[in-house]
Amino acid sequence: MARPDPYIAAHLEWIGFVRPTGLVVSPPALVRAGAILNRHDTEGQRLLRECARGLDGPCDGDGAEPWLPDFPSFARMVLGWSFSAKGYAGTDETPIPRELEIMLPDPPTGLRGSQRT
């Protein structure tokens, strides 16, 4: 019997932990896109522990599930995201292009899409 791809198995594992609802990307698609999990990312784990509550922190021992009290801090520290206005459409610096707007007839409101920069 063929051994399963370890990268696909890793994605199946984390998808099982997060109990997803709605649309989820398939593990083979994640592997094809180059999303490979680093199981030895000790720095990432340390940063996650700093952001989370209930992981060796104030909630331990009370039965609470680990949680992130401040998503923007988590996104900056752990994921390395930037929340600069340059990366978003619909701000004063980067308005949504007119070609991505359409008026809806009833009630008359506008619908706007976003454009990746």
Side-chain angles (χ1 to χ4, degrees):
M1 178 176 355
R3 286 180 39 142
D5 182 324
Y7 298 123
I8 291 176
H11 285 299
L12 287 169
E13 182 180 20
W14 77 259
I15 288 172
F17 287 141
V18 296
R19 292 179 235 144
T21 58
L23 181 63
V24 177
V25 177
S26 74
L30 289 167
V31 171
R32 280 193 303 272
I36 306 300
L37 300 175
N38 179 356
R39 293 189 171 271
H40 304 289
D41 181 13
T42 56
E43 179 63 10
Q45 290 297 310
R46 184 188 66 75
L47 292 170
L48 176 60
R49 286 186 182 280
E50 285 182 17
C51 292
R53 298 292 175 260
L55 296 172
D56 298 330
C59 295
D60 274 354
D62 66 4
E65 291 283 327
W67 60 285
L68 295 169
D70 181 9
F71 179 78
S73 292
F74 162 77
R76 280 186 190 91
M77 287 177 59
V78 179
L79 302 178
W81 289 8
S82 164
F83 288 97
S84 112
K86 180 181 165 190
Y88 298 91
T91 64
D92 290 339
E93 296 85 8
T94 313
I96 293 176
R98 301 294 282 168
E99 62 268 16
L100 294 179
E101 294 185 21
I102 186 170
M103 289 304 293
L104 300 176
D106 194 22
T109 57
L111 177 66
R112 299 200 242 169
S114 63
Q115 179 179 21
R116 291 184 177 189
T117 56

